[in-house]
RNA sequence: GGGCGUAUAGCUCAGUGGUAGAGCACUAUGUUGACAUCGUAGGGGUCGCAAGUUCAAUCCUUGCUACGCCCACCA
């Protein structure tokens, strides 16, 4: 590949305005082609992050932008700090999602999956991936993500498949994967089983029907009634009812336990059983039991001695009514959709006089009582989930969950923010078997083969399975594939080459950090922890950082149906990737969702522009790239001061990033670059570009570029090269090492100057004087320190405070403006030019404020118990503050007295 | 029914046991050697409500209210 960067040996003058689009593509191409994302650093400490693999069908949404920005900040930071930083990237084959995309394409051409063989369909999926699968990877590049594309992974890569098969086989051999017949969450639209996590409960308007089930054989209850009333929200399931349950202690039904019900529609005889599941306080206290179509009923059925294989099933894979094994479903129901069946069943029961009407509060009768029903929906298919009796593969998640819980308890895994630990434990402690088989074509096919009797042989190849089964036994492979999350759970090590004993695995496992949204804590993070510890013997990552959702400006969740989705690429087009990234970081405070605020993105675009212009100014004044990592030697106070400010900023930034406080980190560098460097330092040095100042300014600007680079990689890289010839790109430069300290004297001096300048600006503003007016001030009896500062900073005082002279002598009599700086009060005679009343009001307001503070502190200091019980530091601080405010009050009183 | 989170300036959010900050918005003003995507200055908050702990609470405890999220089988 060719290097597209212009000759950096002769930097060109920066353009007047900063155009993000013009530089972003250029630098990304350069970095990638130069291998800058993963420089060879064999002797450096490794640092590893794996990227949550986006669905190969996906395109970049605002949540990806947040997630990947945070990761990129960390990886660029560690790379700048000299680590062997590896950010693994790739995509997920996303079984259901991808198969749906390709099927939709077929449907658009009046075609369908069943017109193809499995092999041909899978070929089509691969073709689709080759054409369209790269969308999101291109978009991650636009965001500036410095991932190791040279090793881009895909969860269906051959080596990944080997890892998946090995894990499945090993878990099976350890008894941690097994096949079982039980109720599963079935998606009738996708015609596959899904896991508990893929079911989302929605509140839907539904009904509550009550029916009379007549007792058979002339049996009557103790109270003389010849029926039992049952209630249900799903009347259609009565076609597969097998029992009626009552509570063992319920006096009303003691005499009929063991008797039989004659189900009115099917004529099936339903045994009345005693079971704790029936709650005497609810409804009639009796409940109809459909073991094949309800999770609770399944358990009741088993307790009543019904084997899963004998439980009646009344639905096909698309949830249409089929004949039950006992042949008792009347023909008119067979073939009906489940919701049509509901209507038909209710009508028939009503007609037969078995429906107990609901009487509303106005006395009107209805077939049912309206109720809000917690209804299970498939998160992908979007239709109501049907509990269905099937054979599926299950992972013994309970066993696998123990080690990850211990790892979090011991601190081997640190969850950030810590509040998520409780959620993690709560889920892990109550974890259920994980259904991992899916009735799809696209995915990792389960490595199990069956003989004619249905015995499973699980092996890494058909040959091995055949060997297990014995020669001559005819084997058929399990047609199902694995849950996508089964393979992505292996991401932290399979991407590094496992199960091969590769150098990468040794060097980069465990990973250092995982950053993910909390929404996939259970789906992905917890399962990585389970598989990682089980197969690698170590935690997958030392830290787990969970961030929130990006919400719309109104606080709502973004969704296509609401039409409030913000496209991150549109924001990048408009404001630049740097601005979007900085926004994400600045808004990412731990434990809180990020609310979209486009104006703020705009504000950070302005920040990039501000930096650009500061660099332009430096460039125009001969300030260029620094030549040393350490701070240059400096004698001028402003230079010594700004070096100290860099030292403090760096410390604060390092501390924030160590704690993964992205917001604090972003604010620290923002504040320094704009508030300290641009607003004050540049203003101070205007007019004195001597060699020392140029060296210091160039060095400070470089430190800003390096410190800001993780957040705003593009503009910083551009400026880095614009300011001079560089040995390296900024992306692989060195993190600041100032080898300098804060100079308290310089700090005090500059802070005095800042107070002076601010004081005059404020005073002029409040008195209505032109801000540009140049004045002369009198300062009688200045302290030695103040005298020295004034002597050493004439030009600055002239230019910024707009004072052409400070006379160290008593001021002439007459009306004057008085401005304080430190312990000094500068007097500017302005007889006839100022409104004396306004100046008095101004000073009185300040005096009142100082007196109020002083008084409050005095009150506290006069409180004996404060002085006795408060921490000594607090008392000392109160004394110091009091002295300061009292002195200020004295100074202002004197100023007022002088005003007359 | 459990669990968690959030309530601080008009908006979006930081924050600390010693009586509050940022960005944006707002008001006034400005082109003084980069920047109007800017400069300068200013106004604005009883830190949701109540009680408790403490010398001292916006910050700790408890209760309440409102909003949000997650988990859970009420037929």
């Amino acid at each position: 590949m060719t290097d597209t960067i212009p000759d950096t040996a002769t930097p060109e003058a920066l353009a007047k305005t900063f155009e993000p689009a013009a530089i972003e593509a250029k630098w990304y191409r350069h970095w990638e082609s130069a291998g800058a994302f993963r420089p060879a650093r064999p002797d450096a400490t490794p640092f590893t992050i794996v990227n949550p693999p986006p669905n190969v069908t996906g395109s970049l949404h605002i949540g990806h932008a947040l997630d990947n920005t945070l990761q990129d900040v960390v990886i660029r930071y560690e790379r700048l700090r000299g680590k062997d930083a590896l950010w693994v990237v790739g995509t997920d084959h996303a079984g259901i999602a991808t198969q749906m995309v390709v099927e939709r394409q077929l449907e658009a051409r009046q075609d369908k999956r069943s017109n193809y063989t499995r092999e041909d369909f899978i070929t089509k999926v691969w073709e689709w991936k080759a054409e369209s699968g790269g969308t999101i990877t291109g978009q991650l590049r636009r965001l500036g993500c410095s991932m190791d594309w040279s090793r881009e992974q895909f969860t269906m890569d051959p080596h990944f498949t080997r890892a998946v098969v090995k894990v499945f086989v090993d878990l099976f051999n350890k008894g941690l994967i097994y096949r079982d017949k039980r109720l599963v969450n079935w998606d009738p639209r996708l015609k596959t089983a899904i896991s508990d996590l893929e079911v989302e409960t929605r509140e839907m308007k539904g009904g509550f029907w009550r029916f009379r089930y007549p007792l058979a054989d002339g049996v009557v209850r103790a109270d003389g009634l010849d029926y039992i009333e049952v209630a249900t929200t799903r009347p259609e399931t009565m076609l597969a009812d097998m029992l009626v349950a009552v509570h063992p202690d319920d006096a009303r039904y003691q005499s009929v336990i063991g008797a039989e019900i004659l189900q009115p529609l099917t004529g099936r005889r339903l045994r009345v059983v005693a079971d704790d599941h029936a709650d005497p306080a609810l409804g009639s206290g009796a409940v109809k039991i459909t073991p094949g179509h309800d999770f609770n009923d399944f358990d009741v059925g088993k307790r009543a001695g019904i084997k899963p294989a004998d439980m009646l099933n009344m639905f096909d894979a698309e949830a249409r009514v089929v004949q039950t094994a006992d042949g008792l479903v009347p023909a008119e129901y067979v073939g009906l959709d489940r919701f049509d069946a509901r209507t038909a069943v209710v009508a028939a029961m009503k007609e037969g006089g078995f429906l107990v009407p609901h009487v509303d509060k106005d006395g009107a009768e209805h077939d049912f009582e309206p109720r809000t029903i917690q209804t299970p929906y498939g998160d992908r298919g979007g239709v109501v989930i049907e509990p269905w009796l099937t054979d599926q593969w299950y992972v013994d998640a309970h066993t696998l969950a123990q080690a990850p819980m211990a790892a979090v308890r011991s601190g081997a895994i640190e969850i950030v923010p810590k509040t998520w630990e409780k959620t993690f434990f709560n889920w892990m402690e109550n974890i259920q078997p994980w259904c991992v088989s899916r009735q799809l074509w696209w995915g990792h096919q389960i490595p199990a083969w069956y003989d004619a009797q249905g015995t499973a042989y699980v092996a890494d190849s058909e040959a091995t399975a055949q060997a297990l089964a014995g020669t001559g036994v005819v084997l058929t492979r399990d047609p199902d594939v694995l849950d996508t999350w089964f393979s992505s759970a292996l991401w932290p090590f399979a991407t590094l080459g496992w199960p091969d004993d590769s150098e990468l695995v040794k060097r980069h496992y465990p990973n250092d950090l995982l950053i993910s949204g909390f929404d996939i804590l259970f789906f992905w993070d917890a399962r990585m922890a389970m598989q990682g510890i089980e197969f690698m013997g170590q935690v997958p990552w030392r830290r787990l950082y969970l961030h929130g959702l990006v919400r719309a400006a109104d606080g709502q969740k973004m969704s296509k149906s609401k039409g409030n989705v913000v496209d991150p690429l549109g924001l990048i087009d408009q404001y630049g990737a740097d601005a979007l990234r900085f926004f994400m970081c600045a808004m990412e405070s731990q434990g809180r969702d990020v609310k979209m605020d486009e104006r703020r993105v705009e504000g950070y675009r302005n920040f990039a522009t501000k930096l650009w212009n500061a660099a332009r100014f430096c460039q125009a004044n001969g300030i260029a790239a620094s030549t040393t990592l350490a701070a240059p030697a400096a004698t001028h106070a402003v230079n010594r001061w700004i070096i100290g400010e860099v030292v403090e900023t760096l410390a604060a930034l390092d501390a924030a990033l160590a704690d993964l406080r992205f917001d604090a980190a972003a604010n620290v560098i923002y504040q320094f670059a704009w508030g300290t460097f641009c607003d004050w330092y540049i203003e101070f040095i205007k007019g004195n570009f001597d060699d020392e100042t140029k060296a210091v300014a160039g060095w400070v600007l470089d430190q800003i570029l390096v410190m800001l680079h993780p957040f705003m990689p593009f503009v910083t890289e551009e400026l880095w090269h614009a300011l001079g010839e560089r040995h390296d790109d900024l992306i692989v430069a060195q993190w600041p090492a100032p080898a300098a300290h804060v100079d308290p004297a310089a700090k005090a001096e500059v802070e005095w100057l800042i107070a002076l300048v601010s004081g005059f600006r404020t005073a002029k503003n409040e008195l209505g004087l032109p801000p540009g007016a140049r004045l002369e001030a009198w300062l009688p009896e200045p302290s030695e320190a103040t005298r020295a500062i004034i002597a050493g900073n004439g030009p600055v005082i002239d230019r910024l405070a707009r004072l052409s002279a400070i006379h160290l002598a008593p001021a002439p009599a007459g009306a004057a403006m008085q401005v304080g700086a430190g312990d000094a009060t500068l007097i500017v005679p302005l007889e006839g030019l100022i409104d004396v009343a306004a100046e008095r009001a101004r000073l009185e307001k300040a005096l009142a404020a100082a007196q109020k503070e002083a008084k409050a502190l005095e009150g506290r200091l006069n409180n004996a118990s404060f002085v006795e019980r408060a921490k000594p530091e607090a008392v000392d601080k109160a004394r110091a503050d009091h002295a300061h405010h009292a002195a200020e009050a004295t100074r202002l009183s004197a100023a007022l007295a002088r005003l007359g």
Side-chain angles (χ1 to χ4, degrees):
Chain A
M1 296 198 82
T2 53
D3 190 328
T4 57
I5 301 306
D7 183 3
T8 53
T10 55
E12 291 170 21
L14 286 162
K16 185 135 197 302
T17 48
F18 165 51
E19 303 286 349
I23 63 166
E24 289 177 0
K26 174 183 79 172
W27 284 114
Y28 200 92
R29 265 200 312 275
H30 171 73
W31 290 328
E32 188 170 358
S33 63
F37 297 149
R38 185 96 207 287
R41 292 176 177 173
D43 301 324
T45 307
F47 184 89
T48 313
I49 299 180
V50 294
N51 186 51
N55 286 359
V56 67
T57 57
S59 56
L60 194 80
H61 59 61
I62 201 85
H64 290 125
L66 171 62
D67 191 58
N68 287 287
T69 294
L70 301 182
Q71 292 175 70
D72 197 42
V73 166
V74 173
I75 208 78
R76 283 181 187 268
Y77 173 63
E78 297 295 354
R79 190 185 297 117
L80 286 167
R81 296 213 300 169
K83 300 256 183 82
D84 176 17
L86 169 63
W87 189 8
V88 173
V89 66
T91 49
D92 192 293
H93 69 279
I96 293 177
T98 307
Q99 180 163 325
M100 279 173 75
V101 166
V102 177
E103 287 196 64
R104 257 202 297 275
Q105 284 196 327
L106 292 178
E107 281 163 23
R109 299 195 301 261
Q110 274 73 49
D111 201 353
K112 55 185 176 186
R113 173 162 64 107
S114 52
N115 290 347
Y116 297 86
T117 64
R118 179 174 184 141
E119 287 64 34
D120 289 345
F121 179 78
I122 289 172
T123 303
K124 285 206 164 302
V125 179
W126 281 107
E127 285 167 1
W128 175 88
K129 181 194 178 267
E131 277 172 37
S132 316
T135 302
I136 194 159
T137 56
Q139 293 169 331
L140 287 168
R141 288 173 164 93
R142 285 209 56 198
L143 190 62
C145 296
S146 58
M147 299 145 156
D148 181 18
W149 295 108
S150 71
R151 294 191 65 261
E152 184 176 346
Q153 304 284 308
F154 184 52
T155 53
M156 290 276 279
D157 285 341
H159 79 268
F160 219 102
T161 303
R162 280 203 296 127
V164 169
V165 168
K166 176 174 170 51
V167 165
F168 190 96
V169 172
D170 286 2
L171 287 177
F172 177 82
N173 289 334
K174 292 183 204 171
L176 294 172
I177 277 187
Y178 54 93
R179 195 159 167 79
D180 196 12
K181 185 195 250 338
R182 67 171 72 166
L183 286 186
V184 74
N185 298 298
W186 184 263
D187 187 317
R189 170 155 174 241
L190 302 173
K191 288 183 274 185
T192 178
I194 58 177
S195 73
D196 297 346
L197 282 179
E198 290 161 282
V199 176
E200 56 180 42
T201 310
R202 299 188 201 166
E203 289 203 341
M204 302 301 287
K205 279 182 184 162
F208 187 68
W209 287 265
R210 290 150 66 203
F211 300 106
R212 285 177 186 164
Y213 272 22
L215 287 154
D217 310 319
V219 173
V220 292
R221 289 158 50 172
D223 57 10
L225 296 174
D226 61 354
Y227 63 87
I228 293 179
E229 184 180 312
V230 295
T232 180
T233 57
R234 301 195 54 205
E236 67 279 11
T237 60
M238 70 172 60
L239 297 175
D241 278 353
M242 298 182 77
L243 304 168
V244 167
V246 297
H247 195 272
D249 302 331
D250 193 333
R252 295 168 292 181
Y253 300 112
Q254 287 300 315
S255 64
V256 295
I257 291 171
E260 291 190 324
I261 294 282
L262 199 61
Q263 212 287 329
L265 297 187
T266 56
R268 186 179 299 126
R269 296 176 78 96
L270 316 178
R271 187 155 46 98
V272 178
V273 297
D275 193 288
D276 288 339
H277 168 64
D279 183 347
L282 287 174
S284 66
V287 56
K288 71 182 204 62
I289 301 297
T290 317
H293 295 284
D294 182 281
F295 288 100
N296 287 316
D297 293 5
F298 179 82
D299 292 335
V300 175
K302 277 211 300 196
R303 284 195 290 271
I306 305 173
K307 292 190 180 70
D310 297 329
M311 291 178 181
L312 294 175
N313 168 56
M314 57 169 279
F315 285 133
D316 66 10
E318 294 177 64
R320 285 179 308 230
V321 176
V322 293
Q323 185 55 267
T324 50
D326 59 8
L328 290 174
V329 174
E332 65 258 38
Y333 299 110
V334 175
L336 290 183
D337 170 79
R338 51 185 163 167
F339 300 112
D340 296 335
R342 176 176 302 176
T343 310
V345 162
V346 170
M349 289 294 278
K350 188 179 182 185
E351 196 180 324
F354 301 106
L355 177 74
V356 182
H358 168 70
V359 181
D360 67 22
K361 60 184 192 317
D362 299 324
E365 285 196 358
H366 304 275
D367 286 359
F368 63 91
E369 175 189 345
R371 275 202 187 180
T372 302
I373 308 291
Q374 304 288 326
T375 312
Y377 277 77
D379 65 356
R380 288 284 171 190
V383 300
V384 177
I385 290 306
E386 199 60 48
W388 207 39
L389 197 56
T390 54
D391 290 302
Q392 304 287 346
W393 289 97
Y394 292 89
V395 167
D396 178 357
H398 176 76
T399 300
L400 290 176
Q402 302 311 309
M405 284 194 280
V408 172
R409 283 200 192 95
S410 74
I413 293 174
E414 180 196 3
I415 297 182
V416 182
K418 205 171 164 52
T419 49
W420 283 104
E421 278 187 8
K422 208 158 186 172
T423 306
F424 173 81
F425 284 127
N426 188 46
W427 189 70
M428 290 295 247
E429 279 159 7
N430 299 301
I431 199 164
Q432 297 299 307
W434 172 20
C435 175
V436 292
S437 42
R438 297 288 179 276
Q439 287 65 52
L440 304 170
W441 281 356
W442 175 243
H444 294 285
Q445 193 170 352
I446 291 173
W449 285 261
Y450 303 103
D451 62 19
Q453 287 72 46
T455 304
Y457 302 92
V458 172
D460 58 9
S461 70
E462 181 158 11
T464 316
Q466 191 71 63
L468 287 173
T471 45
V473 176
V474 178
L475 293 179
T476 314
R477 183 161 187 182
D478 191 319
D480 293 350
V481 300
L482 286 162
D483 181 2
T484 297
W485 299 103
F486 186 92
S487 49
S488 49
L490 317 182
W491 194 248
F493 50 98
T495 52
L496 300 173
W498 188 89
D500 292 339
D501 190 23
S502 77
E503 274 304 308
L504 273 179
V505 176
K506 282 191 208 123
R507 193 164 164 76
H508 293 280
Y509 191 97
N511 308 160
D512 290 270
L513 172 67
L514 183 85
I515 295 184
S516 94
F518 66 74
D519 52 326
I520 53 172
L521 173 60
F522 305 148
F523 275 111
W524 191 49
D525 306 347
R527 286 159 175 174
M528 274 189 283
M530 294 189 223
Q531 301 290 40
I533 297 176
E534 181 69 20
F535 285 89
M536 305 299 292
Q538 290 183 78
V539 298
W541 4 260
R542 298 186 175 92
R543 284 174 124 184
L544 170 60
Y545 182 88
L546 295 165
H547 63 254
L549 252 49
V550 182
R551 297 182 167 276
D554 60 2
Q556 296 231 343
K557 214 166 160 174
M558 287 190 197
S559 73
K560 280 180 196 162
S561 55
K562 285 183 198 147
N564 60 353
V565 174
V566 174
D567 176 14
L569 298 163
L571 291 171
I572 291 174
D573 289 340
Q574 200 171 351
Y575 304 107
D578 288 331
L580 177 61
R581 293 167 57 106
F582 205 88
F583 166 78
M584 291 297 179
C585 294
M587 299 305 291
E588 174 56 23
S589 57
Q590 293 177 2
R592 193 167 189 141
D593 287 343
V594 171
K595 211 175 280 189
M596 193 60 228
D597 183 354
E598 193 170 329
R599 308 206 63 154
R600 202 143 174 164
V601 182
E602 185 185 0
Y604 292 128
R605 188 272 317 266
N606 296 352
F607 174 52
T609 303
K610 182 77 182 177
L611 186 72
W612 179 273
N613 282 306
R616 263 181 74 218
F617 175 79
C618 289
Q619 190 188 48
N621 288 285
I623 293 164
S626 60
T627 52
T628 57
L629 195 57
T635 56
H636 303 329
V638 285
N639 288 335
R640 295 178 67 79
W641 164 74
I642 196 69
I643 288 168
E645 294 292 305
V646 169
V647 170
E648 290 188 327
T649 300
L650 177 65
L653 182 56
D654 280 330
L657 287 174
D659 290 341
L660 298 172
R661 285 306 306 245
F662 295 96
D663 56 342
N667 288 330
V668 161
I669 188 63
Y670 179 96
Q671 185 52 47
F672 178 71
W674 196 322
T676 304
F677 183 73
C678 291
D679 288 350
W680 287 109
Y681 181 72
I682 286 183
E683 295 304 326
F684 281 137
I685 66 170
K686 278 178 182 172
N688 178 27
F689 296 111
D690 60 18
D691 287 346
E692 174 190 310
T693 299
K694 283 198 279 192
V696 170
W699 179 83
V700 173
L701 184 53
D702 271 4
Q703 308 316 301
I704 290 173
L705 294 177
V706 182
M707 290 190 285
L708 187 57
H709 181 261
F711 306 90
M712 293 189 148
F714 293 112
V715 69
T716 51
E717 185 76 82
E718 176 75 10
L719 295 176
W720 177 258
H721 288 283
L723 286 164
E725 190 180 354
R726 307 284 186 170
H727 291 297
D728 289 307
D729 291 330
L730 178 55
I731 186 175
V732 289
Q734 279 181 273
W735 192 248
H741 301 284
V742 172
D743 175 350
K747 194 177 170 83
E749 179 166 343
V750 172
E751 285 177 356
W752 189 88
L753 288 169
I754 289 174
L756 179 78
V757 171
S758 299
F760 270 95
R761 285 173 178 167
T762 303
K764 284 175 171 174
N765 205 292
E766 291 183 346
L767 293 176
L769 297 175
R774 295 179 84 227
L775 308 169
E776 288 183 44
W778 272 260
L779 176 58
E781 299 170 23
S783 67
E784 269 313 305
T786 304
R787 188 189 297 268
I789 295 173
I790 292 169
N793 293 279
V796 166
I797 291 170
D798 184 17
R799 197 161 28 78
L800 296 183
R802 310 292 296 162
L803 290 176
S804 55
I806 298 179
H807 306 288
L808 303 181
M817 174 174 80
Q818 300 180 73
V819 174
D823 58 0
T825 301
L826 288 91
I827 303 161
V828 180
L830 288 169
E831 188 71 51
L833 290 174
I834 61 161
D835 178 347
V836 176
E839 174 65 354
R840 182 177 292 114
R842 202 176 70 83
L843 294 174
E844 280 172 347
K845 189 179 158 197
L847 175 61
Q851 284 173 334
K852 187 185 166 201
E853 292 290 339
K855 200 178 165 193
L857 287 159
E858 199 179 315
R860 200 185 301 161
L861 287 163
N862 287 339
N863 180 344
S865 47
F866 170 70
V867 181
E868 282 165 24
R869 301 197 188 191
K871 284 175 296 189
E873 312 88 89
V875 178
D876 290 346
K877 183 167 187 306
R879 289 213 173 96
D881 288 352
H882 176 260
H884 171 255
H885 286 116
E888 180 71 359
T890 305
R891 194 186 66 71
L892 286 160
S893 296
L896 273 166
R898 208 176 295 122
L899 197 59

